[in-house]
Structures are given as structure tokens and as C-alpha cells.
Amino acid sequence: MAGIFVCYLLNYYETFVTNATAESLNSGIKGFRAELHGISNLPFFFYRVCKIYG
């Protein structure tokens, strides 16, 4: 199983780049979506996400 991810692990040690920024953005969007309790106007939701997290 670890053999599949060896290239990604080695890439981290060569370039020291992680996806922490993307994970943080995803977490923020999930929290924002949870506050809305359902989305009725999808274009407005995307507009708000772009303005807040963009």
C-alpha cells in the first residue's frame, strides 16, 4: 500500500510542499456551508464563497 504513495512522500522531502492550504480552504467552505443549513440560491452561494474565500 505504501508503495503507491512513495513518489508523493519523496516529493514532499524534495520540495517541502504540502496541500495544507487546500485542506484549510476546503474546511472553511464546509463550515460556511454548514452555517447555511441548505442552499436555495446556488449562484449566490458561489458568489459568497468567491468573495469570502477568493
Side-chain angles (χ1 to χ4, degrees):
M1 182 70 181
I4 298 170
F5 300 106
V6 168
C7 64
Y8 297 114
L9 293 172
L10 294 178
N11 187 38
Y12 169 75
Y13 289 108
E14 291 174 1
T15 61
F16 299 106
V17 175
T18 66
N19 65 344
T21 305
E23 293 295 332
S24 175
L25 178 64
N26 288 339
S27 175
I29 291 173
K30 280 185 179 182
F32 180 70
R33 200 174 81 200
E35 289 178 9
L36 296 177
H37 302 293
I39 302 165
S40 59
N41 189 352
L42 198 59
F44 183 67
F45 169 75
F46 287 130
Y47 170 77
R48 291 281 311 268
V49 167
C50 289
K51 289 296 181 184
I52 293 172
Y53 297 105

